Amino acid sequence: MPLYYVHAGASLQKLTTAGVITTLTLPTGVTLSTTRRGRFALLNRFVAFVNGGTVNLVIDTTDDTVRPLVLRPPSSPPKLAASSGSGGLTGDYKARYSFVVKDTNGRLLIESAMSPEPVAAITLTSKALNLTGIETSDDASVNARRLYRTTASGNVYFHWRDLDGNTETSIENDLSDAS
């Protein structure tokens, strides 16, 4: 059934051709302007809504979920340390992370920019890498943090693993460089 999305005052609404109006739920902390007119663009099954709110939004047309179009990135780098026990990493390592939103099947929908780089690399000798100080996002739609790590003495960040949820602030892992 054809439908329209409408920026009506301080709300975002769905209007069907049958005349049924449904007000959509905005992400926490997002408000719409009553003086600026929002713009819509269809992107496959998503509708981008820009210029009308405190942040740009995307609407998933399959379930009318409204999410930020772009997530704010973490503001601080993780703290790096060597594990207390033994592990499989030897060399100098750096790590960063981002905020992500995944769908119910675990597929990535949105990812923020990465956190700042740590001040210095950590040198490990047969240890695991311990990250602490991983921020949680104040955005309610964030349901994971994506961790990136360099290989031994490298400068390129590779996807290391995901930290599901938005509550834990530390992780320890010794996944090999080859993995």
Side-chain angles (χ1 to χ4, degrees), residues 20-41:
V20 177
I21 297 173
T22 307
T23 299
L24 304 180
T25 304
L26 298 175
T28 304
V30 174
T31 59
L32 299 185
S33 172
T34 57
T35 58
R36 281 192 326 265
R37 194 168 81 190
R39 308 278 188 228
F40 295 88

Side-chain angles (χ1 to χ4, degrees), residues 71 98-102 110 135 137 141-146 162-166:
L71 299 171
S98 63
F99 296 136
V100 299
V101 176
K102 296 181 184 180
I110 307 169
E135 286 180 33
S137 175
S141 62
V142 169
N143 56 13
R145 274 76 46 84
R146 183 153 282 185
D162 288 346
L163 184 57
D164 288 328
N166 190 27

Side-chain angles (χ1 to χ4, degrees), residues 148-164:
Y148 294 87
R149 187 194 87 188
T150 62
T151 56
S153 303
N155 288 316
V156 177
Y157 288 91
F158 294 97
H159 177 214
W160 176 22
R161 63 170 300 163
D162 288 346
L163 184 57
D164 288 328

Side-chain angles (χ1 to χ4, degrees), residues 96-164:
R96 298 170 81 180
Y97 63 100
S98 63
F99 296 136
V100 299
V101 176
K102 296 181 184 180
D103 68 10
T104 55
N105 295 316
R107 292 180 298 227
L108 179 68
L109 296 176
I110 307 169
E111 182 174 12
S112 73
M114 283 194 268
S115 65
E117 282 201 33
V119 175
I122 183 81
T123 302
L124 304 175
T125 305
S126 298
K127 297 283 185 181
L129 180 59
N130 186 343
L131 266 64
T132 59
I134 300 170
E135 286 180 33
T136 57
S137 175
D138 58 358
D139 189 318
S141 62
V142 169
N143 56 13
R145 274 76 46 84
R146 183 153 282 185
L147 307 175
Y148 294 87
R149 187 194 87 188
T150 62
T151 56
S153 303
N155 288 316
V156 177
Y157 288 91
F158 294 97
H159 177 214
W160 176 22
R161 63 170 300 163
D162 288 346
L163 184 57
D164 288 328

Side-chain angles (χ1 to χ4, degrees), residues 14-89:
K14 177 173 86 171
L15 171 65
T16 66
T17 54
V20 177
I21 297 173
T22 307
T23 299
L24 304 180
T25 304
L26 298 175
T28 304
V30 174
T31 59
L32 299 185
S33 172
T34 57
T35 58
R36 281 192 326 265
R37 194 168 81 190
R39 308 278 188 228
F40 295 88
L42 181 62
L43 307 166
N44 198 1
R45 70 169 209 205
F46 298 99
V47 173
F49 175 71
V50 300
N51 195 45
T54 51
V55 298
N56 294 329
L57 301 170
V58 64
I59 305 165
D60 186 336
T61 61
T62 60
D63 60 4
D64 296 325
T65 302
V66 181
R67 295 183 184 89
L69 186 61
V70 178
L71 299 171
R72 283 185 296 264
S75 61
S76 62
K79 294 171 183 63
L80 310 177
S83 65
S84 57
S86 63
L89 298 177

